[in-house]
Amino acid sequence: MLRKTTLTTAKEHTNIRKRRMPIRKKLTPLGDKKPKEDTEAELESLVIGSEVQILEELEKVANKSENQPSDKIHVSGQKRPAWKDEDDDIGSIQLTSARKFVGIKREEESKITKKEYKQRLQSQFEKLSSTPNWAKLPSERDRHSEDEDSDVEDLLQKTGTFLAGSTSLPQGMIQIKSCTDLNKEGYMRVRDFSQTAVKALEFHPSAQVALTGGANNTLTLFQVDGKTNPKIQSFFLESFPINCAHFTRDGEQVLIGSRWKCFKYLDMLAGKVVDVPLKGIEEKCMAVFEMSPDGKYYVFMGQYGNMHFISAKSKEWLFSLKMNGHVQSISFSIDGQQLFSFGDDGHVYVWDIRSRECIHRFIDEGCTRGTFLTVSLNNQYLACGSNTGVVNLYERESCMLEFEPKPIKSIMNLTSSCKIAKFNATSEILCIGSRDEEKAVKLFHIASQSVFSNFPDKMDHNLKVPTVVDFSVNSGYLTIGTVSGKALLYRLKHYGNY
């Protein structure tokens, strides 16, 4: 068989010989040393190749790119579609008398290709409505709106913080859901509301537990789950109607006040109730008290403007403070260093606990008789309720500087005496209420200075006359005690935790 020979030029013959030529390593004696430049040049030729070889490879790449057009470069300089399915143009469409084919089907046509169908849909859309500027190609867009569209493109190409959920509570309507009554397992239907009304109602400071108590001499603990709320245990206190009860700050005890000159406390670890007689105090009734946030004191409101401080450790009387008139309500600052007392004359007294002195006094605007006072947990707001139902909301700092401070908002949503006021854990909601009317309870949104319009629900027939309210630790639940003996439980969906 004859071999097929081809003619080559001298230049190509030289290049072929260079490629086939083996690389020979020249051995040098150990005593001889190559110059540094020669060594580097030889190393480069071994790793990268010679200059001739590099030039030849670059020429091949250039010729290949010229002969083969790139798919990434569009002929007209326009953007190519991000995705194109070839199957969309394969096949045909049966044209019927359906409404969706009006304007597309032509006379005596029963079938067209998918590609033609797509083109007709596009032309029909362009006839009915002009193409928006954002849908046009860069070369077709209007100049005056290019800057505006570029801003929109930048906005749509990144999320930033737009996908992050807002932590603030929205105004207008609150997402609230009615749950199973907190005391459903311990509820007893009695006609005499004076014996069934819920007087004490509070959530545990750390556990998912709540307490209820009233004139039926029974203190009951419930586990809060929003579904069944099982009863943990009940304690019957003989001849001791419960008027007020609070968990201690450590959550290990429950302090209980009544109409007698003594109080009791429940040792939750031991499971027993202990009587505590008070000595050194000339009072007939120790029914209403508050606990300091630092857990050091229990402060009982007495007669003639007296406020008696009891040690949380020894349960003994320490000292008393006295204001003019009769004390109607008291509330501590969040650090426990100041005590605010509200009198029936509409004056608010500010007491320094360390020095045991009144450091400031101011008058509640428009108040004829003060009824209730509370301080927000962030120490920013102070709410004062009166017998007319008006609740004034103040900045706490402004109250400390003036004798007649101006409220940031006067809440006029109650028509009878305000005896209920409670801030939630985040100080975004103020719950106010009256014990003189049915459904006389409102949730006030601090940021917008307005009440939530969807609470209370007109169809909520269980909500009778409210007596006491409380928020859970993280504001996930709201409970409202009523004169009928029910402790209603509501879920606030904005606050995920308990």
Side-chain angles (χ1 to χ4, degrees):
M1 181 181 293
L2 297 177
R3 295 184 178 178
K4 185 177 180 181
T5 59
T6 57
L7 297 177
T8 58
T9 62
K11 183 178 180 180
E12 292 176 349
H13 185 69
T14 304
N15 293 337
I16 292 172
R17 290 186 61 189
K18 287 182 178 180
R19 288 195 295 269
R20 292 179 178 177
M21 185 181 298
I23 300 174
R24 298 179 181 178
K25 295 182 181 180
K26 186 176 180 181
L27 299 177
T28 57
L30 294 175
D32 299 337
K33 292 184 178 180
K34 283 186 177 183
K36 184 177 181 181
E37 296 179 355
D38 296 344
T39 305
E40 291 179 354
E42 183 178 354
L43 182 60
E44 289 179 358
S45 63
L46 291 174
V47 177
I48 303 176
S50 62
E51 295 180 1
V52 177
Q53 293 175 348
I54 295 174
L55 292 174
E56 289 178 357
E57 294 296 331
L58 290 176
E59 289 179 2
K60 291 180 180 180
V61 173
N63 293 333
K64 186 177 181 181
S65 61
E66 291 178 0
N67 297 331
Q68 298 180 358
S70 176
D71 293 337
K72 297 181 180 180
I73 302 175
H74 200 268
V75 177
S76 61
Q78 300 173 351
K79 292 182 179 180
R80 296 179 62 87
W83 173 261
K84 183 177 181 181
D85 195 347
E86 297 178 355
D87 295 336
D88 290 344
D89 298 334
I90 299 176
S92 59
I93 299 292
Q94 292 288 339
L95 299 178
T96 63
S97 59
R99 186 176 180 180
K100 63 179 180 179
F101 295 123
V102 175
I104 297 176
K105 181 181 178 182
R106 297 174 184 174
E107 295 181 359
E108 298 180 356
E109 270 188 343
S110 61
K111 183 187 296 185
I112 60 174
T113 61
K114 289 185 177 180
K115 186 175 182 180
E116 179 67 19
Y117 179 69
K118 183 170 63 176
Q119 291 175 356
R120 291 186 186 182
L121 281 176
Q122 183 176 355
S123 61
Q124 185 184 23
F125 173 78
E126 292 175 354
K127 289 179 182 179
L128 296 175
S129 60
S130 59
T131 306
N133 198 61
W134 60 265
K136 295 179 181 179
L137 295 172
S139 60
E140 302 173 352
R141 295 181 181 176
D142 299 332
R143 292 184 178 180
H144 70 275
S145 60
E146 285 183 356
D147 297 337
E148 188 175 321
D149 289 339
S150 62
D151 296 339
V152 174
E153 287 183 359
D154 293 340
L155 181 65
L156 296 178
Q157 288 175 359
K158 57 186 178 180
T159 60
T161 58
F162 296 105
L163 296 181
S166 175
T167 57
S168 61
L169 181 67
Q171 65 180 23
M173 299 180 69
I174 187 171
Q175 293 184 350
I176 190 168
K177 176 186 176 183
S178 179
C179 302
T180 304
D181 293 348
L182 180 63
N183 61 345
K184 183 178 180 180
E185 290 193 4
Y187 175 70
M188 296 178 62
R189 185 181 297 273
V190 182
R191 291 184 178 181
D192 187 3
F193 284 170
S194 63
Q195 299 296 321
T196 61
V198 178
K199 297 292 187 69
L201 181 62
E202 190 175 76
F203 288 99
H204 193 274
S206 57
Q208 288 190 219
V209 177
L211 65 83
T212 63
N216 58 355
N217 305 343
T218 304
L219 178 73
T220 309
L221 301 177
F222 297 92
Q223 181 181 352
V224 182
D225 60 6
K227 298 179 181 179
T228 59
N229 304 319
K231 183 174 70 173
I232 299 175
Q233 193 172 0
S234 293
F235 300 88
F236 181 77
L237 312 178
E238 186 175 359
S239 301
F240 199 85
I242 299 174
N243 193 277
C244 184
H246 294 291
F247 286 105
T248 56
R249 299 307 174 189
D250 56 11
E252 296 181 357
Q253 297 178 356
V254 178
L255 203 66
I256 310 168
S258 185
R259 61 190 181 189
W260 309 118
K261 186 186 173 180
C262 65
F263 68 92
K264 299 175 183 287
Y265 73 89
L266 168 65
D267 189 341
M268 298 183 63
L269 299 179
K272 63 178 181 179
V273 179
V274 181
D275 295 335
V276 181
L278 288 177
K279 299 179 181 180
I281 302 177
E282 295 181 359
E283 292 288 348
K284 297 180 180 180
C285 178
M286 304 292 287
V288 183
F289 66 94
E290 291 290 336
M291 304 184 67
S292 62
D294 54 12
K296 293 182 179 180
Y297 307 107
Y298 312 143
V299 183
F300 285 86
M301 292 187 293
Q303 294 179 327
Y304 313 113
N306 286 302
M307 294 164 284
H308 308 289
F309 283 70
I310 310 299
S311 172
K313 291 184 178 180
S314 62
K315 305 295 189 298
E316 295 180 352
W317 171 71
L318 297 176
F319 59 93
S320 298
L321 300 176
K322 186 178 182 348
M323 60 180 289
N324 295 334
H326 294 278
V327 57
Q328 298 293 323
S329 180
I330 58 175
S331 182
F332 278 92
S333 61
I334 192 62
D335 56 3
Q337 300 302 317
Q338 292 179 350
L339 176 68
F340 295 82
S341 61
F342 200 14
D344 58 351
D345 57 355
H347 287 253
V348 179
Y349 291 75
V350 185
W351 304 86
D352 182 73
I353 304 303
R354 294 179 180 177
S355 62
R356 303 179 185 179
E357 294 180 353
C358 178
I359 58 176
H360 185 62
R361 181 170 62 93
F362 65 91
I363 187 170
D364 182 24
E365 185 181 63
C367 179
T368 57
R369 185 173 183 271
T371 55
F372 207 88
L373 171 143
T374 184
V375 180
S376 64
L377 293 182
N378 63 356
N379 225 25
Q380 183 179 357
Y381 302 107
L382 176 70
C384 298
S386 64
N387 63 329
T388 59
V390 179
V391 180
N392 288 329
L393 182 65
Y394 297 93
E395 289 278 355
R396 192 186 65 87
E397 293 183 357
S398 65
C399 295
M400 300 298 295
L401 301 176
E402 303 176 20
F403 177 71
E404 296 182 357
K406 296 295 181 182
I408 60 177
K409 179 66 177 180
S410 293
I411 308 172
M412 306 285 190
N413 296 92
L414 298 178
T415 58
S416 54
S417 179
C418 176
K419 292 292 184 68
I420 301 170
K422 182 76 175 182
F423 285 95
N424 75 323
T426 60
S427 302
E428 294 177 298
I429 303 174
L430 172 63
C431 182
I432 58 175
S434 172
R435 296 172 183 168
D436 298 329
E437 297 179 9
E438 288 191 358
K439 296 186 179 180
V441 59
K442 298 290 182 180
L443 295 180
F444 182 79
H445 186 220
I446 304 295
S448 64
Q449 298 184 9
S450 61
V451 297
F452 292 104
S453 59
N454 62 325
F455 187 86
D457 190 354
K458 295 180 180 179
M459 302 303 294
D460 189 356
H461 301 293
N462 293 322
L463 181 56
K464 303 295 183 180
V465 179
T467 56
V468 61
V469 301
D470 194 30
F471 290 95
S472 60
V473 179
N474 296 311
S475 302
Y477 288 98
L478 166 68
T479 181
I480 302 177
T482 64
V483 294
S484 62
K486 291 184 178 181
L488 307 180
L489 186 66
Y490 299 91
R491 183 77 171 93
L492 301 180
K493 297 182 181 179
H494 178 78
Y495 304 97
N497 297 330
Y498 169 78

